Amino acid sequence: MTRPNYVWRLKTIILTIVLGYTSASWAENYPYRSDFLWLTIPDHANWLYQTGEQAKVEVSFTRYGIPQNVEVNYEIGPDEMPATSSGTVKLKNGRATISMGTMKHPGFLDLRLSVKGDYQHHVKVGFSPEKLKPYTKNPKDFDDFWQGNLEEARQSQLHVDCKKVDSYCTDETDTYLLKIKTDKRHSIYAYLSRPKRQGQYPVVLCPPGAGIKTIKEPMRNIYYAKNGFIRLEMEIHGLNPEMTNEQFKEITTAFDYENGYLTNGLDNKDNYYMKHVYVACVRAVDYLCSLSEWDGKNVFVQGGSQGGALSLITAALDPRITACVANHPALSDMAGYLDNRAGGYPHFNRLKGMLTPAKVETMAYFDVVNFARRITCPVYLTWGYNDNVCPPTTSYIVWNLITAPKESLITPINEHWTSDTTNYNQMLWLKKHLR
């Protein structure tokens, strides 16, 4: 074993142990305060291979940190697709090596592990992902469609109700709850946080992740305002974030399931629910750029999952955006399942009758891949390989399509999350891109 591989393995083991004690979600690979711990180490340090190249993963299973000589059941299949092979292996001294095989075409393979069907884990490795291409086509009237919708929305006056929220204010920052009328029919709510000191500041729009829910705790990202940004954290449904959790739950139930709005009107691009959402993001930028405290130069977007998608979409639709940060973007190559591989969240393949020709045609007007082609500002994109919500296949497709200046942070071990350190560093990245 070469020294670089040894260092990588040591770092991977340390990271895995740390995650085992810090993750607060039982759905993650490394459950909080679990007696059991998996270690999975691909034989390529970056978890990437060329098509046709064989991948192997060293697997270890411990209890209280003590290696267990147990029988491990495993399945291997393409990213988000059914298994194509399966088997069992008996661990010796708590470990074994499993050959994952290879792929003839660019993509990801997923090794899914379990002991007695209870203790589950998985690890994905990629094969020439830089060559992944979208299934989704680029509509000829794409630009005309969105230009027309933005022009129509801007015929309505941008009316804003604003109230200061004292409980979210500090000695350094002020926070306001806004209701912004974005077109003739729709409004959004948002929390705006800004430095208390008078001055001119860059603005940051933060669209939300998927769901019908309240805006995340505004103070969670107050470091933006403390570092000299005006930050607008928005929701997309026109629901006052001061509603109770019970009220939000009732509204969610009315959509049949949590994110049922993502199927609403999908038969027709003019009626699809997300049309007014995309427009609302640009209208939120209209509002930010109308502020007398805006520095007149810097307009940023930043978000994760659905918020990552909306950040990329806004960057494509609005030439005022000067830099974009996105984590594991949803809504990316959503029809990719028709190419017999992973498609993007919300995984319409799991719902009956959602991948019809009419709906697939509508998806193309709302798919991140067609916005990624049009982005001109610098982009910072983050994604993990073990993500089953926004799979690495679709994140790579988006990355491959961006021709603007771009930087990436690839965190192979991550599922659908980013660390607090990663999030803070993204703010620092935006500071470096101030004009």
Side-chain angles (χ1 to χ4, degrees), residues 137-416:
K137 302 299 185 290
N138 181 27
K140 292 181 180 179
D141 63 341
F142 184 91
D143 296 307
D144 290 340
F145 174 76
W146 284 111
Q147 182 179 351
N149 280 297
L150 290 174
E151 289 175 353
E152 181 180 355
R154 283 174 169 149
Q155 291 175 6
S156 300
Q157 183 178 0
L158 191 69
H159 178 78
V160 181
D161 294 325
C162 175
K163 75 170 184 177
K164 192 173 183 179
V165 185
D166 291 332
S167 60
Y168 292 150
C169 295
T170 72
D171 292 342
E172 301 176 67
T173 64
D174 286 328
T175 297
Y176 303 84
L177 177 60
L178 310 178
K179 182 180 181 181
I180 305 173
K181 187 173 176 59
T182 55
D183 59 33
K184 291 180 180 179
R185 293 182 53 201
H186 301 98
S187 297
I188 61 164
Y189 284 85
Y191 282 109
L192 182 139
S193 297
R194 49 152 295 172
K196 190 181 291 286
R197 187 181 71 253
Q198 293 299 311
Q200 308 296 118
Y201 300 103
V203 294
V204 184
L205 175 68
C206 179
I212 302 171
K213 55 195 175 186
T214 186
I215 297 174
K216 290 182 178 179
E217 172 59 52
M219 299 303 287
R220 188 174 61 98
N221 294 302
I222 199 63
Y223 55 82
Y224 272 84
K226 289 183 176 181
N227 278 271
F229 293 91
I230 298 173
R231 178 185 172 89
L232 187 77
E233 189 159 349
M234 60 178 281
E235 60 84 46
I236 61 173
H237 305 294
L239 301 176
N240 191 328
E242 295 181 331
M243 294 168 59
T244 66
N245 289 333
E246 289 75 17
Q247 289 170 319
F248 277 104
K249 186 175 181 180
E250 287 178 353
I251 294 170
T252 296
T253 303
F255 277 89
D256 296 328
Y257 57 98
E258 182 180 5
N259 300 332
Y261 64 91
L262 289 167
T263 67
N264 192 342
L266 193 55
D267 285 303
N268 186 308
K269 66 180 183 295
D270 294 310
N271 297 330
Y272 185 39
Y273 186 91
M274 295 301 286
K275 186 179 79 169
H276 82 262
V277 173
Y278 292 13
V279 169
C281 290
V282 176
R283 294 292 273 158
V285 175
D286 287 346
Y287 166 73
L288 287 169
C289 291
S290 74
L291 296 174
S292 59
E293 298 87 358
W294 175 45
D295 66 9
K297 296 179 292 185
N298 297 287
V299 185
F300 302 136
V301 283
Q302 176 267 323
S305 194
Q306 178 185 262
L310 294 175
S311 295
L312 292 165
I313 288 161
T314 306
L317 287 176
D318 196 326
R320 293 171 297 184
I321 304 300
T322 54
C324 171
V325 171
N327 302 324
H328 39 250
L331 311 175
S332 300
D333 207 31
M334 293 178 281
Y337 287 100
L338 294 174
D339 198 24
N340 198 35
R341 58 162 174 77
Y345 182 88
H347 305 291
F348 285 130
N349 66 309
R350 299 173 186 175
L351 299 174
K352 186 177 181 180
M354 294 306 298
L355 291 177
T356 64
K359 290 174 180 171
V360 169
E361 181 180 348
T362 296
M363 288 177 204
Y365 290 88
F366 296 87
D367 200 295
V368 171
V369 300
N370 285 327
F371 293 93
R373 305 174 194 270
R374 293 166 165 84
I375 295 174
T376 58
C377 69
V379 174
Y380 185 36
L381 194 65
T382 300
W383 68 97
Y385 292 168
N386 286 339
D387 195 336
N388 281 338
V389 179
C390 298
T393 297
T394 59
S395 289
Y396 258 105
I397 288 172
V398 171
W399 172 257
N400 294 343
L401 287 170
I402 296 172
T403 57
K406 60 184 179 179
E407 298 178 45
S408 66
L409 173 63
I410 302 174
T411 54
I413 204 169
N414 283 27
E415 297 180 66
H416 198 61

Side-chain angles (χ1 to χ4, degrees), residues 35-138:
D35 295 338
F36 299 92
L37 183 67
W38 290 92
L39 301 178
T40 48
I41 307 174
D43 62 343
H44 280 198
N46 62 359
W47 302 26
L48 294 179
Y49 303 79
Q50 296 299 310
T51 51
E53 192 173 9
Q54 298 289 319
K56 295 181 180 180
V57 176
E58 183 179 278
V59 174
S60 179
F61 183 73
T62 68
R63 186 182 188 190
Y64 309 128
I66 301 170
Q68 301 293 299
N69 294 329
V70 297
E71 186 175 79
V72 173
N73 298 308
Y74 66 86
E75 294 182 343
I76 301 170
D79 192 9
E80 295 302 303
M81 301 296 285
T84 54
S85 63
S86 62
T88 60
V89 63
K90 183 68 178 290
L91 302 188
K92 183 178 181 181
N93 297 322
R95 64 181 57 188
T97 297
I98 297 176
S99 176
M100 290 184 65
T102 189
M103 297 185 77
K104 295 181 180 179
H105 304 288
F108 279 79
L109 278 181
D110 191 4
L111 174 61
R112 303 152 191 165
L113 305 162
S114 68
V115 172
K116 299 179 181 179
D118 293 328
Y119 307 104
Q120 298 181 352
H121 185 82
H122 78 118
V123 58
K124 298 182 188 181
V125 299
F127 295 85
S128 303
E130 73 282 357
K131 297 180 181 178
L132 279 163
K133 297 180 180 180
Y135 174 86
T136 301
K137 302 299 185 290
N138 181 27

